[in-house]
Amino acid sequence: MRIGELAQRTGTTTRALRFYEDQGLLTARRSANGYREYDEDDLQLVKEILTLQTVGLTLEETRPFVDCLRSGHETGDSCASSIEVYRRKLEEADALLARLGGIRGELAAKLAGALARQAPDPCVVPGAPRP
Amino acid sequence: MRIGELAQRTGTTTRALRFYEDQGLLTARRSANGYREYDEDDLQLVKEILTLQTVGLTLEETRPFVDCLRSGHETGDSCASSIEVYRRKLEEADALLARLGGIRGELAAKLAGALARQAPDPCVVPGAPRP
DNA sequence: CCTTGCCTTGACGCGGACGTCAACGTCTAG
DNA sequence: CTAGACGTTGACGTCCGCGTCAAGGCAAGG
């Protein structure tokens, strides 16, 4: 298949696919007229990349998975380096969750403080009919 | 005080302060030689900006707080528009936490799956002495 | 006088993942 | 023959919050 079809079947854009090629993640045979030609393996590879993107991996981080698929494994995460990336990203996610949770708390506190200052009466819920 | 001192007392850089000025968040009087001159109000204003940054607001989103301080209020969050920003960011944080939690779960599942495929024997912990 | 350290403006760089445009070749249907 | 849909490469734009020069002016100490 050509690039347009691959883009459509994977739900991405031709621009993205060419970009992946630039980054060395995707390679393409060329037909006589210079058009890129892809097969089912490429389809799987792109799907893998896109799936990994949705769970927060950068393109660089998908490289081990791509290499793993290229070296004949059935899944991209059959190799130790891929699993290592999973571990790292899991740690990153946990760290981010912790930070974000803290931030959420600070935000909530700031909001509460501002509301308290705005309406210093603690017994009346906002939306009082008469000032 | 001049820009270097302001930067030092707020824990930021002169470059950042000039950038804030570019964005219209900070204004400075000029002394005879063209140097920027700041007062204590500016110090508070910059501190407010930096604090808001740490809780995830973009510079653009700090603008209501800055305007609020400029219009004479004691705190930047004394105005309705600032409070509205708090609310929005709180919602954003919650949405992000939810997404990130989901992602974390997917990552954990992928890792577990990969490990299971790697060592199909569920009774032996990794690190077996003999293959 | 010279050096040092502060200040000025302006302009480009970065990371990430593409979008968008230019300017063109190619294939297919009518 | 021509229009339209597809493909090609290359290069610059986007967002954000500055960092990092470059190329100087200004003030104070020795």
Side-chain angles (χ1 to χ4, degrees), chain A residues 3-4 18 30 36:
Chain A
I3 196 168
R18 279 189 270 256
R30 298 298 182 121
R36 290 168 176 85

Side-chain angles (χ1 to χ4, degrees), chain B residues 1-28 30 36-39 41-50 53 59 70:
Chain B
M1 83 198 79
R2 289 176 303 179
I3 196 168
E5 187 182 344
L6 181 58
Q8 191 190 336
R9 289 178 63 182
T10 54
T12 184
T13 65
T14 60
R15 183 66 187 87
L17 295 177
R18 279 189 269 257
F19 182 70
Y20 297 160
E21 186 172 327
D22 266 14
Q23 306 303 306
L25 291 170
L26 186 58
T27 54
R30 298 299 182 118
R36 291 170 176 85
E37 270 298 326
Y38 301 98
D39 56 25
D41 285 351
D42 296 321
L43 181 76
Q44 284 312 309
L45 201 150
V46 173
K47 281 185 179 175
E48 176 96 12
I49 292 175
L50 295 174
Q53 295 263 71
L59 276 187
R70 286 240 187 83

